[in-house]
Amino acid sequence: MITWMQKHKKYLVVTIWVSTIAFVGAGFVGWGAYDMNTSRAKSVAKVGSRNISISQFQQKYSTMYEYYLSASNGKFNQEQAEQMGLDKVVLQRLIQDNVMLNYADELGLGISDEEIILALMVDPNFMVDGKFDKAKYENSLKQARISPKDYEKNLADSLLLDKLFNALKIDANSKDLDMLASSYFMEDRLSLEIISLNRADIKVDENELKSIWEKNKDKYLTKTKYNLKGKFIPKVVSDENLALLQEYYEENRAQYRDGFDKILSFEAAKERVKDDYDMRQTRKVALSEYLKAKKGEVELEFDLIALDDDYEFDSQELKNAQIGEYVKPVKYRMNYQDGYLISRLDSKDLPKPMDYEEARELIVDEYIDNKLKESLENRAKSALANFKGRDIGFISRENRPKIDELNETQSVTFINSVFENSAKSGYVILDNKIAIYKITDQKLPNFKDISKYEDLLKNSAFSIKNEQLIEDLLSSLQHRYKIEQYYKGQ
């Protein structure tokens, strides 16, 4: 660590700038198209006077990979990352950050050792009993594969960006608030006509369907089919031991809640606790059988098939499994009985183009959706030319009158669409309906009535002004500093 930290380590609270588990999920990005000139071997790009190191790139990549993994509930994988060009997204983010960092350097802004320490001291992530724990800090750095030098540089860059943005920020004034309030709370008087069309009214042309299938065979593929051999372990029904159940409840009490999100008492949750406890005991049995099966000591009993979207299996585990490999026990229901399944992957049928009969159901849904939309739009254009709507009075984002033909969700979608569109007339498609409207009058809001939204308006105006400022500044600065990109993508 830096010298100051070594002298004052007992006062420090250190946080890892990058997730300590990020590398576990993402692995490393391949360097397939990388300029390996010796002078550039440690960098992926250079912006002005600042190099973007391979280490910084890997850390940022792993952090963003972990974000998508979490946002997708664990379904994001490396293949999807490659399809979306995550490596290129990461590189552009780093280039933009370093454009701004060059500007901070030019302005004479900097971060001192003391500022780094102060930032670390206020973060509780590495405190044990209210004090910095050196062993925990060092282990976390080692786990994250981040050297102290890289960690401190990343943290300094992050603090410098914060300092720059704080120096540039502009407060919202009263005119900004008035303009935003007018935009948010402007009231429009509408004349409205609703046209409905049922899906059943759409006639299906088989020749058109077959033509769509012929042109898009590669779009309609079967799902990957996994042919498995399995053995079912039925749920263990244990004798009721109140002491063990009470102990299990205390360990997991947060998951036993009522409809109002309040934790249930042991008595109220006892049946659920007993069921969960029995399933945990069943899993122990299943894991034991799984290990025996891998050693050839247990025979699997029946054939079964799993598809890519089979919710009972981890699709990623199945996808990565090799022929002959055993799949870890999963919760399974067989013949109306809960339990666990242990299985082995015997073969795999890869996706292939569906024949017409297989694909027809998928094609016809899309066909009807497109025909429905096309028909509604044609009717809407005709209705606008000879508009005969009814007056529904004034509407705003806050004042939403009940529209008989629309449910609440459709009504909200319609009104939001009206205010997002600058045209005086138009139409909005809502499932199998289309709402055609004309604005016949407008009035400004009563600012006394919206005073309760003052904080919201201030925050929104501040965000809009400053986000636009940074966007415009970044656009200008990108032509100011030379950008050399060595990593060309996978």
Side-chain angles (χ1 to χ4, degrees):
M1 292 184 286
I2 55 182
T3 305
W4 197 98
M5 290 172 69
Q6 290 172 332
K7 291 180 179 178
H8 301 82
K9 60 188 176 186
K10 67 180 181 179
Y11 300 107
L12 299 183
V13 180
V14 185
T15 181
I16 298 303
W17 183 65
V18 182
S19 169
T20 58
I21 61 171
F23 284 90
V24 176
F28 287 92
V29 180
W31 301 105
Y34 182 68
D35 182 343
M36 293 304 292
N37 182 296
T38 305
S39 64
R40 305 167 179 169
K42 293 183 179 180
S43 302
V44 293
K46 184 177 182 181
V47 181
S49 61
R50 285 177 169 263
N51 287 308
I52 301 172
S53 69
I54 293 173
S55 173
Q56 285 176 299
F57 178 80
Q58 291 286 12
Q59 290 171 23
K60 186 73 169 179
Y61 182 95
S62 299
T63 301
M64 290 189 67
Y65 184 99
E66 197 70 19
Y67 167 78
Y68 285 112
L69 187 67
S70 176
S72 66
N73 293 318
K75 295 179 180 178
F76 190 71
N77 56 44
Q78 193 62 42
E79 183 180 342
Q80 291 172 305
E82 291 172 4
Q83 288 174 352
M84 71 175 287
L86 182 60
D87 57 332
K88 297 181 181 67
V89 173
V90 168
L91 185 57
Q92 285 308 305
R93 294 271 182 94
L94 285 169
I95 287 173
Q96 289 175 351
D97 283 351
N98 278 270
V99 166
M100 300 304 292
L101 288 168
N102 270 274
Y103 186 56
D105 295 338
E106 187 179 325
L107 294 176
L109 299 177
I111 298 297
S112 66
D113 290 351
E114 287 75 13
E115 286 176 291
I116 295 174
I117 300 309
L118 287 173
L120 298 174
M121 289 179 67
V122 298
D123 196 304
N125 287 326
F126 289 86
M127 278 186 177
V128 174
D129 297 328
K131 295 181 180 180
F132 168 66
D133 186 276
K134 182 179 178 182
K136 189 174 183 181
Y137 168 73
E138 292 178 343
N139 288 336
S140 296
L141 282 178
K142 186 182 293 186
Q143 253 187 325
R145 304 178 190 179
I146 307 171
S147 70
K149 181 180 178 182
D150 287 341
Y151 166 67
E152 289 155 13
K153 182 185 184 306
N154 290 336
L155 181 57
D157 287 349
S158 178
L159 292 172
L160 184 54
L161 283 174
D162 285 344
K163 182 179 285 191
L164 175 63
F165 294 150
N166 283 328
L168 295 174
K169 70 181 180 183
I170 305 172
D171 289 329
N173 56 42
S174 59
K175 289 184 178 179
D176 296 327
L177 299 185
D178 288 348
M179 288 177 62
L180 204 56
S182 297
S183 172
Y184 280 177
F185 301 106
M186 173 72 73
E187 295 186 8
D188 289 344
R189 188 165 192 163
L190 290 189
S191 187
L192 178 69
E193 181 179 353
I194 305 289
I195 296 175
S196 297
L197 187 63
N198 292 323
R199 290 175 65 86
D201 296 334
I202 303 297
K203 294 181 179 179
V204 176
D205 185 320
E206 288 295 329
N207 290 328
E208 285 189 46
L209 289 184
K210 287 181 180 178
S211 177
I212 293 171
W213 171 70
E214 288 286 353
K215 293 175 182 177
N216 300 277
K217 284 184 179 180
D218 290 341
K219 178 180 175 182
Y220 303 104
L221 302 176
T222 61
K223 296 174 183 176
T224 302
K225 185 168 72 172
Y226 302 93
N227 303 299
L228 304 162
K229 195 81 171 179
K231 180 178 181 180
F232 180 66
I233 312 297
K235 183 173 74 172
V236 173
V237 181
S238 60
D239 295 332
E240 187 173 294
N241 184 320
L242 289 178
L244 288 176
L245 293 181
Q246 182 79 46
E247 182 182 344
Y248 182 86
Y249 166 79
E250 293 299 334
E251 291 174 1
N252 302 279
R253 66 198 310 267
Q255 72 186 49
Y256 299 108
R257 298 176 180 271
D258 62 15
F260 300 98
D261 203 35
K262 291 183 179 179
I263 294 177
L264 295 168
S265 66
F266 172 68
E267 285 301 322
K270 190 166 72 171
E271 286 188 18
R272 287 169 57 188
V273 172
K274 173 72 165 58
D275 187 64
D276 291 346
Y277 176 80
D278 287 349
M279 285 300 288
R280 185 170 74 171
Q281 302 308 110
T282 309
R283 186 173 186 275
K284 291 178 181 179
V285 174
L287 283 170
S288 175
E289 293 291 286
Y290 164 73
L291 294 173
K292 289 178 182 177
K294 289 181 70 175
K295 295 176 183 177
E297 298 173 2
V298 168
E299 290 293 326
L300 302 184
E301 299 169 348
F302 54 87
D303 297 322
L304 71 152
I305 292 172
L307 301 176
D308 262 336
D309 57 356
D310 195 325
Y311 73 93
E312 291 176 312
F313 288 86
D314 181 335
S315 60
Q316 191 59 40
E317 184 178 0
L318 281 177
K319 184 176 180 179
N320 293 336
Q322 301 298 314
I323 304 302
E325 277 189 0
Y326 285 79
V327 181
K328 291 177 182 177
V330 293
K331 284 185 179 179
Y332 200 74
R333 188 170 179 82
M334 186 172 179
N335 298 329
Y336 306 102
Q337 187 175 12
D338 291 327
Y340 274 85
L341 176 78
I342 58 175
S343 56
R344 181 186 66 229
L345 178 62
D346 283 351
S347 63
K348 185 188 299 186
D349 297 335
L350 297 176
K352 61 181 181 180
M354 295 178 178
D355 59 34
Y356 175 68
E357 290 304 320
E358 287 178 300
R360 187 184 182 282
E361 186 177 345
L362 299 175
I363 299 170
V364 76
D365 282 342
E366 188 175 337
Y367 173 88
I368 291 175
D369 286 341
N370 290 336
K371 289 290 185 180
L372 186 67
K373 181 180 178 182
E374 182 182 332
S375 180
L376 285 170
E377 286 185 328
N378 288 336
R379 293 192 184 192
K381 290 172 184 175
S382 175
L384 274 174
N386 305 282
F387 192 71
K388 298 177 182 178
R390 71 179 190 276
D391 181 21
I392 62 169
F394 282 97
I395 67 166
S396 69
R397 286 186 172 90
E398 189 180 41
N399 173 34
R400 297 192 294 265
K402 187 177 185 308
I403 302 173
D404 292 336
E405 300 95 328
L406 305 180
N407 60 38
E408 186 175 353
T409 300
Q410 291 170 334
S411 181
V412 170
T413 301
F414 167 66
I415 290 172
N416 286 340
S417 297
V418 170
F419 284 101
E420 288 167 5
N421 190 347
S422 59
K424 290 185 178 180
S425 62
Y427 57 85
V428 181
I429 296 177
L430 304 160
D431 303 320
N432 65 328
K433 300 174 183 176
I434 195 159
I436 307 140
Y437 68 91
K438 280 192 176 182
I439 298 173
T440 58
D441 195 6
Q442 288 183 317
K443 65 179 181 180
L444 289 173
N446 184 331
F447 287 94
K448 290 182 180 179
D449 294 341
I450 61 174
S451 59
K452 60 183 176 180
Y453 298 106
E454 186 175 357
D455 288 341
L456 171 66
L457 291 171
K458 283 181 179 178
N459 291 334
S460 296
F462 178 85
S463 296
I464 291 169
K465 289 185 73 171
N466 285 280
E467 285 172 10
Q468 190 61 52
L469 169 67
I470 296 301
E471 185 179 328
D472 292 344
L473 179 60
L474 181 61
S475 177
S476 175
L477 292 176
Q478 283 178 326
H479 303 289
R480 187 167 183 162
Y481 305 111
K482 184 178 180 182
I483 298 174
E484 299 176 69
Q485 188 172 321
Y486 313 138
Y487 175 68
K488 305 300 181 183
Q490 298 187 74

